[in-house]
PDB file of all heavy atoms in Angstrom:
ATOM      1  N   ARG P   1     -20.530 -31.766 -17.024  1.00  0.00           N
ATOM      2  CA  ARG P   1     -19.651 -31.143 -18.035  1.00  0.00           C
ATOM      3  C   ARG P   1     -18.642 -32.164 -18.612  1.00  0.00           C
ATOM      4  O   ARG P   1     -18.192 -31.999 -19.717  1.00  0.00           O
ATOM      5  CB  ARG P   1     -18.897 -29.969 -17.400  1.00  0.00           C
ATOM      6  CG  ARG P   1     -19.780 -28.761 -17.181  1.00  0.00           C
ATOM      7  CD  ARG P   1     -19.095 -27.666 -16.418  1.00  0.00           C
ATOM      8  NE  ARG P   1     -19.992 -26.533 -16.149  1.00  0.00           N
ATOM      9  CZ  ARG P   1     -19.698 -25.549 -15.327  1.00  0.00           C
ATOM     10  NH1 ARG P   1     -18.525 -25.550 -14.666  1.00  0.00           N
ATOM     11  NH2 ARG P   1     -20.555 -24.595 -15.140  1.00  0.00           N
ATOM     12  N   ARG P   2     -18.326 -33.227 -17.826  1.00  0.00           N
ATOM     13  CA  ARG P   2     -17.458 -34.257 -18.357  1.00  0.00           C
ATOM     14  C   ARG P   2     -18.125 -35.071 -19.456  1.00  0.00           C
ATOM     15  O   ARG P   2     -17.474 -35.806 -20.163  1.00  0.00           O
ATOM     16  CB  ARG P   2     -16.962 -35.155 -17.232  1.00  0.00           C
ATOM     17  CG  ARG P   2     -15.985 -34.499 -16.292  1.00  0.00           C
ATOM     18  CD  ARG P   2     -15.295 -35.524 -15.404  1.00  0.00           C
ATOM     19  NE  ARG P   2     -14.405 -34.892 -14.459  1.00  0.00           N
ATOM     20  CZ  ARG P   2     -14.703 -34.717 -13.161  1.00  0.00           C
ATOM     21  NH1 ARG P   2     -15.835 -35.188 -12.670  1.00  0.00           N
ATOM     22  NH2 ARG P   2     -13.828 -34.148 -12.340  1.00  0.00           N
ATOM     23  N   ARG P   3     -19.460 -34.961 -19.535  1.00  0.00           N
ATOM     24  CA  ARG P   3     -20.208 -35.712 -20.517  1.00  0.00           C
ATOM     25  C   ARG P   3     -20.467 -34.900 -21.782  1.00  0.00           C
ATOM     26  O   ARG P   3     -21.159 -35.378 -22.680  1.00  0.00           O
ATOM     27  CB  ARG P   3     -21.547 -36.172 -19.929  1.00  0.00           C
ATOM     28  CG  ARG P   3     -21.406 -37.363 -18.948  1.00  0.00           C
ATOM     29  CD  ARG P   3     -22.696 -37.570 -18.184  1.00  0.00           C
ATOM     30  NE  ARG P   3     -22.787 -38.917 -17.603  1.00  0.00           N
ATOM     31  CZ  ARG P   3     -22.109 -39.351 -16.571  1.00  0.00           C
ATOM     32  NH1 ARG P   3     -21.233 -38.579 -15.967  1.00  0.00           N
ATOM     33  NH2 ARG P   3     -22.254 -40.597 -16.133  1.00  0.00           N
ATOM     34  N   LEU P   4     -19.957 -33.711 -21.854  1.00  0.00           N
ATOM     35  CA  LEU P   4     -20.192 -32.871 -23.046  1.00  0.00           C
ATOM     36  C   LEU P   4     -18.925 -32.170 -23.495  1.00  0.00           C
ATOM     37  O   LEU P   4     -17.971 -32.013 -22.759  1.00  0.00           O
ATOM     38  CB  LEU P   4     -21.304 -31.842 -22.764  1.00  0.00           C
ATOM     39  CG  LEU P   4     -21.067 -30.730 -21.748  1.00  0.00           C
ATOM     40  CD1 LEU P   4     -20.361 -29.539 -22.366  1.00  0.00           C
ATOM     41  CD2 LEU P   4     -22.393 -30.263 -21.158  1.00  0.00           C
ATOM     42  N   ALA P   5     -18.931 -31.758 -24.731  1.00  0.00           N
ATOM     43  CA  ALA P   5     -17.906 -30.913 -25.334  1.00  0.00           C
ATOM     44  C   ALA P   5     -18.571 -29.727 -25.957  1.00  0.00           C
ATOM     45  O   ALA P   5     -19.663 -29.823 -26.515  1.00  0.00           O
ATOM     46  CB  ALA P   5     -17.094 -31.709 -26.355  1.00  0.00           C
ATOM     47  N   TYR P   6     -17.841 -28.574 -25.908  1.00  0.00           N
ATOM     48  CA  TYR P   6     -18.442 -27.359 -26.424  1.00  0.00           C
ATOM     49  C   TYR P   6     -17.335 -26.542 -27.172  1.00  0.00           C
ATOM     50  O   TYR P   6     -16.250 -26.350 -26.627  1.00  0.00           O
ATOM     51  CB  TYR P   6     -19.000 -26.533 -25.274  1.00  0.00           C
ATOM     52  CG  TYR P   6     -19.403 -25.095 -25.631  1.00  0.00           C
ATOM     53  CD1 TYR P   6     -20.398 -24.867 -26.570  1.00  0.00           C
ATOM     54  CD2 TYR P   6     -18.821 -24.013 -24.994  1.00  0.00           C
ATOM     55  CE1 TYR P   6     -20.792 -23.567 -26.891  1.00  0.00           C
ATOM     56  CE2 TYR P   6     -19.202 -22.699 -25.282  1.00  0.00           C
ATOM     57  CZ  TYR P   6     -20.180 -22.493 -26.226  1.00  0.00           C
ATOM     58  OH  TYR P   6     -20.577 -21.201 -26.543  1.00  0.00           O
ATOM     59  N   ALA P   7     -17.657 -26.111 -28.361  1.00  0.00           N
ATOM     60  CA  ALA P   7     -16.786 -25.207 -29.100  1.00  0.00           C
ATOM     61  C   ALA P   7     -17.550 -23.972 -29.474  1.00  0.00           C
ATOM     62  O   ALA P   7     -18.480 -24.011 -30.249  1.00  0.00           O
ATOM     63  CB  ALA P   7     -16.270 -25.914 -30.411  1.00  0.00           C
ATOM     64  N   PRO P   8     -17.150 -22.817 -28.873  1.00  0.00           N
ATOM     65  CA  PRO P   8     -17.864 -21.564 -29.153  1.00  0.00           C
ATOM     66  C   PRO P   8     -17.500 -21.022 -30.545  1.00  0.00           C
ATOM     67  O   PRO P   8     -16.553 -21.524 -31.198  1.00  0.00           O
ATOM     68  CB  PRO P   8     -17.328 -20.621 -28.051  1.00  0.00           C
ATOM     69  CG  PRO P   8     -15.974 -21.167 -27.761  1.00  0.00           C
ATOM     70  CD  PRO P   8     -16.068 -22.661 -27.921  1.00  0.00           C
ATOM     71  N   ASP P   9     -18.229 -20.016 -30.973  1.00  0.00           N
ATOM     72  CA  ASP P   9     -17.955 -19.436 -32.302  1.00  0.00           C
ATOM     73  C   ASP P   9     -16.663 -18.629 -32.257  1.00  0.00           C
ATOM     74  O   ASP P   9     -15.880 -18.624 -33.189  1.00  0.00           O
ATOM     75  CB  ASP P   9     -19.131 -18.513 -32.704  1.00  0.00           C
ATOM     76  CG  ASP P   9     -18.959 -17.975 -34.108  1.00  0.00           C
ATOM     77  OD1 ASP P   9     -18.151 -18.548 -34.886  1.00  0.00           O
ATOM     78  OD2 ASP P   9     -19.619 -16.969 -34.411  1.00  0.00           O
ATOM     79  N   GLU P  10     -16.422 -17.959 -31.116  1.00  0.00           N
ATOM     80  CA  GLU P  10     -15.204 -17.164 -30.974  1.00  0.00           C
ATOM     81  C   GLU P  10     -14.366 -17.689 -29.806  1.00  0.00           C
ATOM     82  O   GLU P  10     -14.907 -18.155 -28.797  1.00  0.00           O
ATOM     83  CB  GLU P  10     -15.570 -15.705 -30.755  1.00  0.00           C
ATOM     84  CG  GLU P  10     -16.303 -15.072 -31.883  1.00  0.00           C
ATOM     85  CD  GLU P  10     -16.638 -13.604 -31.642  1.00  0.00           C
ATOM     86  OE1 GLU P  10     -16.371 -13.116 -30.536  1.00  0.00           O
ATOM     87  OE2 GLU P  10     -17.191 -12.947 -32.551  1.00  0.00           O
ATOM     88  N   SER P  11     -13.057 -17.590 -29.946  1.00  0.00           N
ATOM     89  CA  SER P  11     -12.153 -18.142 -28.957  1.00  0.00           C
ATOM     90  C   SER P  11     -12.153 -17.314 -27.663  1.00  0.00           C
ATOM     91  O   SER P  11     -12.110 -16.095 -27.665  1.00  0.00           O
ATOM     92  CB  SER P  11     -10.724 -18.190 -29.487  1.00  0.00           C
ATOM     93  OG  SER P  11      -9.802 -18.543 -28.477  1.00  0.00           O
ATOM     94  N   SER P  12     -12.189 -17.999 -26.532  1.00  0.00           N
ATOM     95  CA  SER P  12     -11.999 -17.366 -25.227  1.00  0.00           C
ATOM     96  C   SER P  12     -10.761 -17.865 -24.550  1.00  0.00           C
ATOM     97  O   SER P  12     -10.602 -17.725 -23.352  1.00  0.00           O
ATOM     98  CB  SER P  12     -13.246 -17.647 -24.336  1.00  0.00           C
ATOM     99  OG  SER P  12     -13.432 -19.055 -24.170  1.00  0.00           O
ATOM    100  N   VAL P  13      -9.876 -18.496 -25.339  1.00  0.00           N
ATOM    101  CA  VAL P  13      -8.626 -19.086 -24.791  1.00  0.00           C
ATOM    102  C   VAL P  13      -7.669 -17.941 -24.459  1.00  0.00           C
ATOM    103  O   VAL P  13      -7.578 -16.955 -25.128  1.00  0.00           O
ATOM    104  CB  VAL P  13      -8.019 -20.030 -25.854  1.00  0.00           C
ATOM    105  CG1 VAL P  13      -6.691 -20.594 -25.342  1.00  0.00           C
ATOM    106  CG2 VAL P  13      -8.975 -21.145 -26.199  1.00  0.00           C
ATOM    107  N   TYR P  14      -6.898 -18.152 -23.356  1.00  0.00           N
ATOM    108  CA  TYR P  14      -5.888 -17.172 -23.009  1.00  0.00           C
ATOM    109  C   TYR P  14      -4.936 -16.945 -24.173  1.00  0.00           C
ATOM    110  O   TYR P  14      -4.473 -17.933 -24.761  1.00  0.00           O
ATOM    111  CB  TYR P  14      -5.121 -17.616 -21.779  1.00  0.00           C
ATOM    112  CG  TYR P  14      -5.907 -17.613 -20.491  1.00  0.00           C
ATOM    113  CD1 TYR P  14      -6.154 -18.796 -19.812  1.00  0.00           C
ATOM    114  CD2 TYR P  14      -6.402 -16.425 -19.969  1.00  0.00           C
ATOM    115  CE1 TYR P  14      -6.873 -18.807 -18.624  1.00  0.00           C
ATOM    116  CE2 TYR P  14      -7.169 -16.437 -18.796  1.00  0.00           C
ATOM    117  CZ  TYR P  14      -7.379 -17.616 -18.125  1.00  0.00           C
ATOM    118  OH  TYR P  14      -8.104 -17.607 -16.937  1.00  0.00           O
ATOM    119  N   PRO P  15      -4.583 -15.712 -24.510  1.00  0.00           N
ATOM    120  CA  PRO P  15      -3.779 -15.449 -25.703  1.00  0.00           C
ATOM    121  C   PRO P  15      -2.374 -16.044 -25.619  1.00  0.00           C
ATOM    122  O   PRO P  15      -1.787 -16.289 -26.650  1.00  0.00           O
ATOM    123  CB  PRO P  15      -3.739 -13.941 -25.789  1.00  0.00           C
ATOM    124  CG  PRO P  15      -4.130 -13.429 -24.417  1.00  0.00           C
ATOM    125  CD  PRO P  15      -5.069 -14.451 -23.867  1.00  0.00           C
ATOM    126  N   PHE P  16      -1.877 -16.256 -24.393  1.00  0.00           N
ATOM    127  CA  PHE P  16      -0.515 -16.788 -24.257  1.00  0.00           C
ATOM    128  C   PHE P  16      -0.447 -18.297 -24.431  1.00  0.00           C
ATOM    129  O   PHE P  16       0.631 -18.903 -24.579  1.00  0.00           O
ATOM    130  CB  PHE P  16       0.090 -16.400 -22.869  1.00  0.00           C
ATOM    131  CG  PHE P  16      -0.705 -16.895 -21.732  1.00  0.00           C
ATOM    132  CD1 PHE P  16      -0.633 -18.189 -21.251  1.00  0.00           C
ATOM    133  CD2 PHE P  16      -1.607 -16.036 -21.038  1.00  0.00           C
ATOM    134  CE1 PHE P  16      -1.377 -18.619 -20.176  1.00  0.00           C
ATOM    135  CE2 PHE P  16      -2.365 -16.461 -19.996  1.00  0.00           C
ATOM    136  CZ  PHE P  16      -2.254 -17.748 -19.530  1.00  0.00           C
ATOM    137  N   MET P  17      -1.613 -18.973 -24.439  1.00  0.00           N
ATOM    138  CA  MET P  17      -1.625 -20.431 -24.554  1.00  0.00           C
ATOM    139  C   MET P  17      -1.327 -20.838 -26.003  1.00  0.00           C
ATOM    140  O   MET P  17      -1.750 -20.162 -26.908  1.00  0.00           O
ATOM    141  CB  MET P  17      -2.953 -21.008 -24.153  1.00  0.00           C
ATOM    142  CG  MET P  17      -3.266 -20.915 -22.659  1.00  0.00           C
ATOM    143  SD  MET P  17      -4.862 -21.711 -22.227  1.00  0.00           S
ATOM    144  CE  MET P  17      -4.465 -23.443 -22.469  1.00  0.00           C
ATOM    145  N   SER P  18      -0.591 -21.906 -26.138  1.00  0.00           N
ATOM    146  CA  SER P  18      -0.351 -22.444 -27.480  1.00  0.00           C
ATOM    147  C   SER P  18      -1.446 -23.431 -27.856  1.00  0.00           C
ATOM    148  O   SER P  18      -2.253 -23.836 -27.015  1.00  0.00           O
ATOM    149  CB  SER P  18       1.028 -23.155 -27.529  1.00  0.00           C
ATOM    150  OG  SER P  18       0.951 -24.349 -26.762  1.00  0.00           O
ATOM    151  N   GLY P  19      -1.454 -23.826 -29.117  1.00  0.00           N
ATOM    152  CA  GLY P  19      -2.400 -24.838 -29.566  1.00  0.00           C
ATOM    153  C   GLY P  19      -2.295 -26.088 -28.803  1.00  0.00           C
ATOM    154  O   GLY P  19      -3.322 -26.692 -28.358  1.00  0.00           O
ATOM    155  N   ARG P  20      -1.062 -26.555 -28.564  1.00  0.00           N
ATOM    156  CA  ARG P  20      -0.866 -27.809 -27.814  1.00  0.00           C
ATOM    157  C   ARG P  20      -1.257 -27.633 -26.347  1.00  0.00           C
ATOM    158  O   ARG P  20      -1.809 -28.535 -25.746  1.00  0.00           O
ATOM    159  CB  ARG P  20       0.616 -28.221 -27.896  1.00  0.00           C
ATOM    160  CG  ARG P  20       0.913 -29.562 -27.172  1.00  0.00           C
ATOM    161  CD  ARG P  20       0.085 -30.710 -27.749  1.00  0.00           C
ATOM    162  NE  ARG P  20       0.073 -31.845 -26.906  1.00  0.00           N
ATOM    163  CZ  ARG P  20       0.568 -33.050 -27.267  1.00  0.00           C
ATOM    164  NH1 ARG P  20       1.151 -33.193 -28.413  1.00  0.00           N
ATOM    165  NH2 ARG P  20       0.495 -34.058 -26.436  1.00  0.00           N
ATOM    166  N   ASP P  21      -1.038 -26.429 -25.796  1.00  0.00           N
ATOM    167  CA  ASP P  21      -1.486 -26.149 -24.419  1.00  0.00           C
ATOM    168  C   ASP P  21      -2.970 -26.356 -24.298  1.00  0.00           C
ATOM    169  O   ASP P  21      -3.463 -26.957 -23.273  1.00  0.00           O
ATOM    170  CB  ASP P  21      -1.126 -24.735 -23.994  1.00  0.00           C
ATOM    171  CG  ASP P  21       0.327 -24.479 -23.783  1.00  0.00           C
ATOM    172  OD1 ASP P  21       1.089 -25.482 -23.559  1.00  0.00           O
ATOM    173  OD2 ASP P  21       0.779 -23.316 -23.840  1.00  0.00           O
ATOM    174  N   LEU P  22      -3.729 -25.868 -25.248  1.00  0.00           N
ATOM    175  CA  LEU P  22      -5.180 -26.009 -25.199  1.00  0.00           C
ATOM    176  C   LEU P  22      -5.592 -27.476 -25.245  1.00  0.00           C
ATOM    177  O   LEU P  22      -6.433 -27.934 -24.437  1.00  0.00           O
ATOM    178  CB  LEU P  22      -5.872 -25.267 -26.353  1.00  0.00           C
ATOM    179  CG  LEU P  22      -7.360 -25.501 -26.507  1.00  0.00           C
ATOM    180  CD1 LEU P  22      -8.123 -24.964 -25.296  1.00  0.00           C
ATOM    181  CD2 LEU P  22      -7.918 -24.960 -27.804  1.00  0.00           C
ATOM    182  N   LEU P  23      -4.977 -28.223 -26.159  1.00  0.00           N
ATOM    183  CA  LEU P  23      -5.333 -29.640 -26.272  1.00  0.00           C
ATOM    184  C   LEU P  23      -4.997 -30.389 -24.982  1.00  0.00           C
ATOM    185  O   LEU P  23      -5.781 -31.213 -24.506  1.00  0.00           O
ATOM    186  CB  LEU P  23      -4.601 -30.274 -27.443  1.00  0.00           C
ATOM    187  CG  LEU P  23      -4.896 -29.672 -28.843  1.00  0.00           C
ATOM    188  CD1 LEU P  23      -4.089 -30.438 -29.915  1.00  0.00           C
ATOM    189  CD2 LEU P  23      -6.393 -29.689 -29.142  1.00  0.00           C
ATOM    190  N   ASP P  24      -3.812 -30.104 -24.376  1.00  0.00           N
ATOM    191  CA  ASP P  24      -3.422 -30.753 -23.129  1.00  0.00           C
ATOM    192  C   ASP P  24      -4.364 -30.363 -22.001  1.00  0.00           C
ATOM    193  O   ASP P  24      -4.697 -31.211 -21.172  1.00  0.00           O
ATOM    194  CB  ASP P  24      -1.982 -30.384 -22.794  1.00  0.00           C
ATOM    195  CG  ASP P  24      -0.971 -31.084 -23.700  1.00  0.00           C
ATOM    196  OD1 ASP P  24      -1.257 -32.117 -24.271  1.00  0.00           O
ATOM    197  OD2 ASP P  24       0.176 -30.527 -23.791  1.00  0.00           O
ATOM    198  N   PHE P  25      -4.776 -29.130 -21.949  1.00  0.00           N
ATOM    199  CA  PHE P  25      -5.625 -28.616 -20.878  1.00  0.00           C
ATOM    200  C   PHE P  25      -6.998 -29.337 -20.922  1.00  0.00           C
ATOM    201  O   PHE P  25      -7.544 -29.802 -19.917  1.00  0.00           O
ATOM    202  CB  PHE P  25      -5.786 -27.122 -20.995  1.00  0.00           C
ATOM    203  CG  PHE P  25      -6.751 -26.538 -19.962  1.00  0.00           C
ATOM    204  CD1 PHE P  25      -6.324 -26.328 -18.667  1.00  0.00           C
ATOM    205  CD2 PHE P  25      -8.070 -26.248 -20.315  1.00  0.00           C
ATOM    206  CE1 PHE P  25      -7.191 -25.809 -17.709  1.00  0.00           C
ATOM    207  CE2 PHE P  25      -8.923 -25.726 -19.353  1.00  0.00           C
ATOM    208  CZ  PHE P  25      -8.510 -25.516 -18.067  1.00  0.00           C
ATOM    209  N   VAL P  26      -7.567 -29.413 -22.118  1.00  0.00           N
ATOM    210  CA  VAL P  26      -8.903 -30.072 -22.281  1.00  0.00           C
ATOM    211  C   VAL P  26      -8.740 -31.558 -21.969  1.00  0.00           C
ATOM    212  O   VAL P  26      -9.639 -32.101 -21.311  1.00  0.00           O
ATOM    213  CB  VAL P  26      -9.420 -29.839 -23.733  1.00  0.00           C
ATOM    214  CG1 VAL P  26     -10.673 -30.674 -23.944  1.00  0.00           C
ATOM    215  CG2 VAL P  26      -9.677 -28.369 -23.962  1.00  0.00           C
ATOM    216  N   ALA P  27      -7.654 -32.180 -22.425  1.00  0.00           N
ATOM    217  CA  ALA P  27      -7.523 -33.606 -22.122  1.00  0.00           C
ATOM    218  C   ALA P  27      -7.420 -33.840 -20.596  1.00  0.00           C
ATOM    219  O   ALA P  27      -7.998 -34.787 -20.075  1.00  0.00           O
ATOM    220  CB  ALA P  27      -6.293 -34.143 -22.842  1.00  0.00           C
ATOM    221  N   MET P  28      -6.690 -32.980 -19.905  1.00  0.00           N
ATOM    222  CA  MET P  28      -6.560 -33.102 -18.447  1.00  0.00           C
ATOM    223  C   MET P  28      -7.905 -32.942 -17.770  1.00  0.00           C
ATOM    224  O   MET P  28      -8.284 -33.674 -16.873  1.00  0.00           O
ATOM    225  CB  MET P  28      -5.582 -32.078 -17.950  1.00  0.00           C
ATOM    226  CG  MET P  28      -5.405 -32.068 -16.404  1.00  0.00           C
ATOM    227  SD  MET P  28      -4.327 -30.766 -15.786  1.00  0.00           S
ATOM    228  CE  MET P  28      -5.355 -29.299 -16.219  1.00  0.00           C
ATOM    229  N   ALA P  29      -8.707 -31.939 -18.285  1.00  0.00           N
ATOM    230  CA  ALA P  29     -10.062 -31.724 -17.686  1.00  0.00           C
ATOM    231  C   ALA P  29     -10.961 -32.942 -17.874  1.00  0.00           C
ATOM    232  O   ALA P  29     -11.871 -33.157 -17.066  1.00  0.00           O
ATOM    233  CB  ALA P  29     -10.643 -30.484 -18.305  1.00  0.00           C
ATOM    234  N   ARG P  30     -10.751 -33.669 -18.939  1.00  0.00           N
ATOM    235  CA  ARG P  30     -11.572 -34.861 -19.235  1.00  0.00           C
ATOM    236  C   ARG P  30     -10.934 -36.145 -18.802  1.00  0.00           C
ATOM    237  O   ARG P  30     -11.339 -37.256 -19.180  1.00  0.00           O
ATOM    238  CB  ARG P  30     -11.924 -34.869 -20.727  1.00  0.00           C
ATOM    239  CG  ARG P  30     -12.790 -33.708 -21.120  1.00  0.00           C
ATOM    240  CD  ARG P  30     -13.228 -33.710 -22.569  1.00  0.00           C
ATOM    241  NE  ARG P  30     -13.839 -32.449 -22.907  1.00  0.00           N
ATOM    242  CZ  ARG P  30     -13.941 -31.935 -24.094  1.00  0.00           C
ATOM    243  NH1 ARG P  30     -13.395 -32.541 -25.118  1.00  0.00           N
ATOM    244  NH2 ARG P  30     -14.518 -30.767 -24.297  1.00  0.00           N
ATOM    245  N   SER P  31      -9.843 -36.036 -18.012  1.00  0.00           N
ATOM    246  CA  SER P  31      -9.176 -37.176 -17.470  1.00  0.00           C
ATOM    247  C   SER P  31      -8.702 -38.165 -18.502  1.00  0.00           C
ATOM    248  O   SER P  31      -8.852 -39.387 -18.424  1.00  0.00           O
ATOM    249  CB  SER P  31     -10.099 -37.931 -16.429  1.00  0.00           C
ATOM    250  OG  SER P  31     -10.408 -37.033 -15.398  1.00  0.00           O
ATOM    251  N   CYS P  32      -8.127 -37.632 -19.594  1.00  0.00           N
ATOM    252  CA  CYS P  32      -7.564 -38.473 -20.639  1.00  0.00           C
ATOM    253  C   CYS P  32      -6.324 -37.827 -21.195  1.00  0.00           C
ATOM    254  O   CYS P  32      -5.811 -36.846 -20.638  1.00  0.00           O
ATOM    255  CB  CYS P  32      -8.590 -38.730 -21.756  1.00  0.00           C
ATOM    256  SG  CYS P  32      -9.154 -37.198 -22.598  1.00  0.00           S
ATOM    257  N   ARG P  33      -5.826 -38.329 -22.293  1.00  0.00           N
ATOM    258  CA  ARG P  33      -4.609 -37.796 -22.917  1.00  0.00           C
ATOM    259  C   ARG P  33      -4.880 -37.383 -24.329  1.00  0.00           C
ATOM    260  O   ARG P  33      -5.854 -37.800 -24.954  1.00  0.00           O
ATOM    261  CB  ARG P  33      -3.489 -38.849 -22.910  1.00  0.00           C
ATOM    262  CG  ARG P  33      -2.984 -39.196 -21.521  1.00  0.00           C
ATOM    263  CD  ARG P  33      -1.853 -40.225 -21.646  1.00  0.00           C
ATOM    264  NE  ARG P  33      -1.306 -40.591 -20.345  1.00  0.00           N
ATOM    265  CZ  ARG P  33      -0.273 -41.393 -20.155  1.00  0.00           C
ATOM    266  NH1 ARG P  33       0.301 -41.968 -21.223  1.00  0.00           N
ATOM    267  NH2 ARG P  33       0.146 -41.655 -18.943  1.00  0.00           N
ATOM    268  N   VAL P  34      -4.022 -36.535 -24.862  1.00  0.00           N
ATOM    269  CA  VAL P  34      -4.076 -36.176 -26.285  1.00  0.00           C
ATOM    270  C   VAL P  34      -3.529 -37.354 -27.066  1.00  0.00           C
ATOM    271  O   VAL P  34      -2.332 -37.619 -27.071  1.00  0.00           O
ATOM    272  CB  VAL P  34      -3.259 -34.891 -26.573  1.00  0.00           C
ATOM    273  CG1 VAL P  34      -3.256 -34.620 -28.063  1.00  0.00           C
ATOM    274  CG2 VAL P  34      -3.789 -33.700 -25.804  1.00  0.00           C
ATOM    275  N   ASP P  35      -4.451 -38.138 -27.654  1.00  0.00           N
ATOM    276  CA  ASP P  35      -4.027 -39.373 -28.324  1.00  0.00           C
ATOM    277  C   ASP P  35      -3.821 -39.167 -29.816  1.00  0.00           C
ATOM    278  O   ASP P  35      -3.896 -38.051 -30.349  1.00  0.00           O
ATOM    279  CB  ASP P  35      -5.055 -40.476 -28.043  1.00  0.00           C
ATOM    280  CG  ASP P  35      -6.435 -40.120 -28.505  1.00  0.00           C
ATOM    281  OD1 ASP P  35      -6.594 -39.123 -29.303  1.00  0.00           O
ATOM    282  OD2 ASP P  35      -7.411 -40.807 -28.135  1.00  0.00           O
TER     283      ASP P  35
END
């Protein structure tokens, strides 16, 4: 999963998360930073 990225057609993101929260979460999962 670290070798792939996936964007679904519809969002499954928690409604309380902000846009920046999502970017930070994905970056953490891929062991990098939001650059």
Side-chain angles (χ1 to χ4, degrees):
R1 287 173 184 170
R2 289 194 184 103
R3 285 168 159 74
L4 66 85
Y6 170 60
D9 185 19
E10 297 180 356
S11 172
S12 58
V13 178
Y14 291 118
F16 58 81
M17 290 183 71
S18 69
R20 182 59 195 244
D21 288 340
L22 173 66
L23 300 181
D24 287 336
F25 177 79
V26 172
M28 178 184 67
R30 295 182 188 155
S31 302
C32 62
R33 294 183 178 182
V34 176
D35 58 15

